[in-house]
Amino acid sequence: MASIIESGWLYLVTHFSDFQLACLGSFFLHESVFFLSGLPFIYLERAGWLSKYKIQPKNNTPAAQEKCITRLVLYHLCVNLPVMIFSYPVFRFMGMQSSLPLPSWKTVLTQIIFYFILEDFVFYWGHRVLHTKWLYKHVHSVHHEYATPFGLTSEYAHPAEILFLGFATILGPALTGPHLMTLWLWMVVRVLETVEAHCGYHFPWSFSNFLPIYGGADFHDYHHRLLYTKSGNYASTFVYMDWIFGTDKGYRKLKALKSGHMEDSGKEM
């Protein structure tokens, strides 16, 4: 397996420059993973499939979904791609490389865990700042246009917010100067995580059912359907930041009420 990966990587580094791989390659990888993982939730919602796992009964209109897709393509081309291009010298300066040998899986795993922890911490505080009155009204309210989120709404935001909270995602790699393969893996898992958090469905196989510190769709969906001053659940991936600072109290009360109602229903039966 390792030899296949190295052979594939050798092909990339001998046919494309570092700049092409780090900028254009990263952009195409991001777009592919993002849309391929997010689009199925639009079709699930329209078709009504797996509706028993849908967190909110309300559906978005096709027009609202299409508006989201159109804006996303525009933002990705006009914001994300230029950021990838202009941040390339910074990553190179910090030691990012694409040449062989590839890093060990231990190194890759350690760095990605660090990125998740750091991103979650920075995102939490940045997100709370965006929920102050002025910033919410002029910036963050764009993301909250969708009170019933679906996968693609994860990156639907004001350009200023894309830059502001995007900083949390690239801070870890910028500090450590990882191998490009590590950066790509981080991008893939981070995109999959945020799409899942916004998907609007809580499945029996959802990761949050097996890892208590992971928030997931149910945790973040609560954040979207409440008023900005009362929403809470500000963290991107994990639940401990909201628990430590008491910004998940409303969510926990709701969960307790639902749990109590289910127990009462079970006793009646």
Side-chain angles (χ1 to χ4, degrees):
M1 182 65 179
S3 61
I4 295 175
I5 295 174
E6 286 193 357
S7 297
W9 198 264
L10 180 62
Y11 176 85
L12 290 176
V13 297
T14 53
H15 288 77
F16 302 97
S17 67
D18 281 353
F19 176 82
Q20 290 173 325
L21 290 173
C23 299
L24 300 180
S26 297
F27 180 74
F28 289 131
L29 178 63
H30 172 274
E31 297 305 288
S32 299
V33 174
F34 177 70
F35 283 105
L36 287 175
S37 62
L39 282 172
F41 292 105
I42 287 181
Y43 297 113
L44 280 180
E45 190 173 76
R46 290 188 182 185
W49 297 337
L50 302 177
S51 58
K52 66 179 180 178
Y53 300 121
K54 199 169 186 302
I55 299 169
Q56 297 187 53
K58 179 185 175 183
N59 288 333
N60 293 281
T61 65
Q65 294 171 336
E66 289 160 13
K67 173 190 172 184
C68 176
I69 295 172
T70 302
R71 292 278 184 90
L72 282 169
V73 173
L74 178 65
Y75 292 157
H76 286 182
L77 288 172
C78 298
V79 181
N80 292 23
L81 181 58
V83 166
M84 289 180 181
I85 291 172
F86 288 112
S87 63
Y88 173 72
V90 176
F91 281 95
R92 288 291 293 175
F93 177 78
M94 295 304 293
M96 186 188 74
Q97 59 175 330
S98 59
S99 59
L100 291 171
L102 296 175
S104 67
W105 286 108
K106 181 179 179 181
T107 299
V108 172
L109 185 60
T110 301
Q111 289 181 330
I112 289 179
I113 290 173
F114 169 69
Y115 299 160
F116 263 119
I117 295 171
L118 180 62
E119 189 278 339
D120 193 66
F121 177 84
V122 175
F123 186 99
Y124 174 85
W125 291 109
H127 196 182
R128 285 194 67 172
V129 168
L130 286 174
H131 274 263
T132 54
K133 189 174 182 180
W134 191 91
L135 283 174
Y136 183 89
K137 179 180 179 181
H138 296 284
V139 179
H140 194 48
S141 59
V142 174
H143 182 65
H144 278 269
E145 287 177 16
Y146 293 90
T148 306
F150 52 94
L152 295 181
T153 59
S154 57
E155 295 191 5
Y156 180 87
H158 190 286
E161 179 176 342
I162 295 173
L163 296 173
F164 183 57
L165 290 183
F167 173 76
T169 301
I170 67 171
L171 179 59
L175 289 174
T176 59
H179 193 279
L180 182 60
M181 186 189 76
T182 306
L183 182 64
W184 281 2
L185 283 173
W186 162 237
M187 182 194 310
V188 168
V189 294
R190 178 71 181 105
V191 166
L192 293 175
E193 181 275 322
T194 192
V195 167
E196 192 273 337
H198 288 82
C199 75
Y201 291 82
H202 184 70
F203 301 111
W205 56 86
S206 293
F207 200 37
S208 56
N209 292 328
F210 308 100
L211 186 65
I213 65 169
Y214 178 76
D218 188 62
F219 185 79
H220 193 69
D221 199 276
Y222 175 86
H223 174 82
H224 270 265
R225 64 181 185 263
L226 265 69
L227 292 173
Y228 80 94
T229 53
K230 301 177 181 179
S231 56
N233 292 14
Y234 298 112
S236 61
T237 305
F238 305 114
V239 301
Y240 58 81
M241 288 292 292
D242 285 281
W243 178 76
I244 291 171
F245 294 101
T247 48
D248 65 346
K249 290 180 179 178
Y251 172 72
R252 291 191 178 278
K253 285 180 181 178
L254 181 62
K255 292 284 285 184
L257 286 172
K258 285 184 176 180
S259 178
H261 178 70
M262 290 177 66
E263 288 179 5
D264 292 340
S265 298
K267 290 177 182 178
E268 291 175 3
M269 292 176 67

